[in-house]
């Protein structure tokens, strides 16, 4: 196995929305809460999404640090990284992105991207090694990049 294809593939996963679970409950006067309650512009969605992707990608990349030999993770280490890091992170991202209000004219594109991520997750949950045989998130990554994200969906 190559240096955790997980680091590359996982960092490429469309990581559009927060890491999930780490935030305090929002208060009604909380600016972040207000942002989630209002429709974002495309630029705002890209900016917030890329910031979230960056934070999440750092957590996913840190999975390499747990390998005895990061250049050659064992199958067990790889499976654990996918199951314990990748899957929960990406699920949280999808959930958080769905909470953001994309511009009405872009909602179909964003939903298509998120649905594609969820399809990739089904494949990865069934077989974590599927990542080594292809990128189950390739379609979602392309949609993200075509939409204008710079961090999300990037290789």
């Amino acid at each position: 196995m190559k240096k955790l294809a997980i680091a590359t593939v996982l960092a490429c996963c469309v990581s559009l929305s927060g890491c999930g679970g780490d935030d305090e409950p929002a208060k009604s006067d909380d600016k972040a809460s207000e942002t989630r309650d209002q429709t974002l512009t495309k630029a705002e969605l890209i900016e917030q999404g890329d910031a979230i992707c960056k934070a999440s990608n750092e957590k996913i990349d840190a999975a390499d640090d747990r390998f005895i030999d990061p250049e050659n993770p064992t199958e067990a280490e790889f499976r654990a990284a996918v199951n314990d890091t990748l899957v929960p992170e990406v699920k949280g991202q999808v959930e958080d992105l769905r909470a953001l209000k994309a511009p009405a004219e872009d909602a179909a594109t964003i939903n298509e991207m998120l649905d594609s991520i969820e399809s990739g997750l089904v494949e990865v949950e069934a077989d974590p090694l599927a990542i080594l045989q292809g990128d189950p998130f390739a379609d979602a990554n392309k949609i993200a990049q075509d939409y204008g994200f710079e961090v999300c969906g990037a290789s």
Side-chain angles (χ1 to χ4, degrees):
M1 279 186 241
K2 30 188 155 164
K3 179 177 193 295
L4 188 56
I6 200 169
T8 302
V9 172
L10 303 183
C12 294
C13 295
V14 180
S15 311
L16 290 179
S17 37
C19 304
D22 293 359
D23 298 330
E24 293 290 320
K27 297 178 179 147
S28 61
D29 62 342
D30 182 35
K31 187 174 182 178
S33 176
E34 289 174 14
T35 300
R36 289 183 186 267
D37 292 339
Q38 67 186 22
T39 301
L40 301 174
T41 65
K42 181 176 181 175
E44 290 169 333
L45 183 63
I46 290 169
E47 180 182 353
Q48 289 182 27
D50 277 343
I52 292 166
C53 287
K54 183 178 184 243
S56 185
N57 288 348
E58 289 171 0
K59 289 182 179 182
I60 292 169
D61 289 344
D64 279 355
D65 298 338
R66 294 183 293 226
F67 297 146
I68 294 170
D69 178 2
E71 296 296 323
N72 278 314
T74 66
E75 183 176 320
E77 288 174 324
F78 188 83
R79 284 180 185 277
V82 169
N83 291 327
D84 298 344
T85 304
L86 173 82
V87 170
E89 278 295 319
V90 175
K91 282 182 176 181
Q93 295 162 6
V94 170
E95 180 181 312
D96 289 345
L97 185 58
R98 287 202 191 275
L100 295 177
K101 295 196 182 198
E105 64 273 13
D106 298 338
T109 300
I110 298 303
N111 284 328
E112 178 185 5
M113 178 184 61
L114 295 171
D115 292 346
S116 181
I117 295 169
E118 288 174 331
S119 293
L121 278 171
V122 168
E123 184 179 340
V124 170
E125 286 180 301
D127 178 15
L129 298 181
I131 290 174
L132 298 175
Q133 287 134 29
D135 183 357
F137 303 102
D139 291 340
N141 291 340
K142 181 171 180 0
I143 295 167
Q145 292 291 287
D146 289 349
Y147 185 76
F149 290 100
E150 294 180 16
V151 176
C152 302
S155 299

